[in-house]
Amino acid sequence: VETDGVDLSVGYTLPLGPGDLDIANQTTYLASYDIQNTPGGPLIDGAGSRNKLTNSVSTPRWRSNTRFTYLLGDHRFTAVARYISGYKEDVSNIDLDPYPTFDLQYTYSFAPLLGLEEGPSIDLGVINLENRRPPVVNETLGVDSSVADPRGRMVYVKLRQKL
């Protein structure tokens, strides 16, 4: 496999009201993904394809995550927009739709306890807020799990303490 593309990562923090807004984006563009299954065999352009027929990985051309975090004292509010571009299902030769999802999280950080450097924190969040289903593919679960999460919306609570 020979591949090339562009990875871009940008971020900026600005004061907003009594807190700070942190904005960050990570985007990847896959320009080419050339697959050669056997030495001397033909080159197959796998960029933007599921690549099931080549025994390679799925390679949507675009992936992007944009995170907005508002920091206000011990409170942190985070929203993440994720985007995976559509790509070709090479088994059935259909175009798969793009897969955007949206996550939310709230974190509260408590004061340090028992002489520890950092206090405990609690996260409350939702992954895939809209319960968006990934594109259907020709697979046992009907989902390309190398690209999308088949579980749908997930709500979580996480307690953390760094020792």
Side-chain angles (χ1 to χ4, degrees):
V1 172
E2 188 173 306
T3 185
D4 67 86
V6 177
D7 291 324
L8 176 67
S9 181
V10 295
Y12 189 72
T13 301
L14 63 139
L16 184 65
D20 291 320
L21 178 63
D22 182 57
I23 303 169
N25 176 272
Q26 294 178 320
T27 297
T28 296
Y29 172 72
L30 186 64
S32 69
Y33 190 84
D34 297 328
I35 305 163
Q36 189 174 39
N37 284 330
T38 58
L43 281 179
I44 299 164
D45 180 11
S49 177
R50 184 161 174 239
N51 294 317
K52 187 74 171 175
L53 297 176
T54 63
N55 294 320
S56 192
V57 297
S58 298
T59 54
R61 285 195 184 271
W62 289 95
R63 292 178 188 250
S64 184
N65 296 326
T66 303
R67 178 181 44 82
F68 300 89
T69 302
Y70 187 68
L71 305 152
L72 180 63
D74 296 330
H75 306 272
R76 178 184 303 233
F77 305 89
T78 303
V80 180
R82 302 177 193 282
Y83 176 80
I84 299 172
S85 67
Y87 56 108
K88 179 73 77 179
E89 162 57 280
D90 57 347
V91 174
S92 58
N93 200 33
I94 62 170
D95 291 325
L96 300 171
D97 291 333
Y99 183 58
T101 59
F102 192 69
D103 306 341
L104 292 175
Q105 179 176 295
Y106 166 74
T107 302
Y108 182 78
S109 298
F110 296 91
L113 303 170
L114 305 172
L116 294 171
E117 196 172 304
E118 291 182 28
S121 65
I122 183 169
D123 299 335
L124 309 169
V126 180
I127 298 171
N128 191 357
L129 179 68
E130 298 174 289
N131 199 28
R132 186 178 296 269
R133 298 294 176 199
V136 175
V137 297
N138 187 11
E139 192 67 50
T140 304
L141 294 176
V143 174
D144 183 354
S145 60
S146 68
V147 172
D149 192 328
R151 296 177 290 181
R153 179 185 304 124
M154 292 178 281
V155 177
Y156 64 90
V157 175
K158 180 177 15 174
L159 298 171
R160 233 185 331 215
Q161 174 62 63
K162 188 183 266 189
L163 300 176

